[in-house]
């Protein structure tokens, strides 16, 4: 459900299976499973008066598995799912911010983004860049923050694979080549960027707020790791 509407915070669901008493598969879910550089959602599965905390969510063999903190759920149970919305919303803001940064850095510096990981309150980027100039980075932050003040819509939709792969810059990271499926999900920041992506995003750039630079680290001769916290 998170793929269609990233603003859904709750849903009803039925338990399809339970493995080792704590790995729960549901018939539908609002929980995002770890993947694509975006951490998993946390929250609660509520059955009658009992609350099971969802501490980890992953995707295994195509199924989304919710790890809960104690035993008791069984096949056929009806549950109400509630996200830790504060965490998820920050991840949505930082995911959209990461796309803007990747787009600016790739187009502007010719730097190749070699890795990208979202954390709850910051974005981590690794990029390959021979000449690394912190002053240039500041400029990019300023340009990004200008965009985060604008009313620019963010949309997501599916396209046939062949059509999607014709879009320039759709794949920004070498290791992030999309799975072999007939339709690809595209996240479009209107007029700025399009990326093949399975993550959750805010629907307007304004919601990002802004970013700072926390610190940069050298990771080898040409690799720089940079952390960008949300403002
Ligand atoms: Zn993404």
């Amino acid at each position: 459900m998170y793929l269609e509407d990233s603003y859904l915070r709750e849903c009803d669901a039925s338990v399809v299976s339970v493995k080792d008493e704590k790995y729960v598969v549901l018939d539908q879910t609002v929980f995002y499973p770890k993947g694509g550089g975006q951490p998993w959602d946390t929250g609660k599965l509520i059955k009658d008066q009992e609350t099971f905390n969802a501490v980890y969510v992953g995707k295994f063999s195509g199924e989304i598995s919710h790890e809960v903190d104690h035993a008791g759920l069984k096949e056929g149970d009806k549950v109400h799912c509630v996200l830790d919305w504060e965490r998820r919303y920050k991840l949505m803001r930082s995911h959209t911010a990461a796309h803007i940064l990747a787009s600016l850095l790739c187009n502007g510096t010719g730097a190749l983004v070699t890795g990208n990981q979202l954390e709850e309150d910051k974005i981590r980027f690794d990029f390959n860049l021979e000449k690394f100039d912190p002053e240039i980075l500041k400029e990019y932050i300023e340009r990004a923050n200008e965009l985060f003040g604008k009313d620019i819509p963010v949309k997501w939709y599916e396209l046939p694979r062949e059509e999607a792969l014709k879009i320039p810059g759709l794949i920004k990271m070498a290791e992030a080549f999309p799975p072999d499926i007939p339709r690809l999900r595209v996240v479009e920041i209107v007029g700025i960027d399009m990326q093949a992506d399975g993550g959750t995003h805010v629907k307007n750039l304004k919601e990002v707020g802004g970013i700072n630079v926390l610190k940069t680290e050298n990771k080898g001769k040409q690799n720089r790791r940079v952390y960008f916290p949300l403002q």
Side-chain angles (χ1 to χ4, degrees), residues 22-26 29 31 45 54 56-58 64-68:
K22 60 175 186 175
Y23 301 104
V24 180
V25 175
L26 303 169
T29 187
F31 283 88
L45 272 52
Y56 180 85
V57 183
I64 296 173
S65 169
H66 309 70
E67 180 183 344
V68 291

Side-chain angles (χ1 to χ4, degrees), residues 2 25 42-43 48 53 58 90 92 113 139 147 165 171 202 208 225:
Y2 57 86
V25 175
T42 57
D48 303 323
N53 293 308
K90 278 185 195 158
M92 284 161 57
V113 177
E139 265 176 53
L147 291 171
L165 291 178
I171 314 294
V202 291
V208 172
R225 175 164 287 184

Side-chain angles (χ1 to χ4, degrees), residues 17 33 35 44 48 75 81 85 106 115 119 153 156 159-160 166 207 210-211 215 218 229:
S17 67
K44 300 171 199 166
D48 303 323
E75 193 185 322
C81 304
W85 178 249
C106 289
E119 295 173 26
W156 43 91
L159 287 179
K166 284 180 193 154
E207 293 185 42
I211 52 167
K215 58 175 177 177
N218 287 352

Side-chain angles (χ1 to χ4, degrees), residues 40-85:
W40 63 95
D41 287 331
T42 57
K44 300 171 199 166
L45 272 52
I46 302 163
K47 183 198 161 198
D48 303 323
Q49 303 307 318
E50 192 174 1
T51 295
F52 299 80
N53 293 308
V55 294
Y56 180 85
V57 183
K59 204 168 184 179
F60 304 96
S61 319
E63 283 186 328
I64 296 173
S65 169
H66 309 70
E67 180 183 344
V68 291
D69 62 347
H70 65 278
L73 286 173
K74 57 184 193 313
E75 193 185 322
D77 281 348
K78 303 285 181 212
V79 291
H80 187 66
C81 304
V82 182
L83 290 186
D84 175 346
W85 178 249

Side-chain angles (χ1 to χ4, degrees), residues 4 19 50 63 85 107 124 163 183 189 211 222:
E4 281 180 25
K19 194 181 146 208
E50 192 174 1
E63 283 186 328
W85 178 249
N107 294 331
R124 192 192 85 202
E163 198 182 313
R183 292 176 72 78
I189 302 172
I211 52 167
Q222 295 201 352

Side-chain angles (χ1 to χ4, degrees), residues 194-205:
M194 291 171 93
Q195 283 194 40
D197 195 87
T200 59
H201 291 262
V202 291
K203 60 182 187 304
N204 194 296
L205 275 196

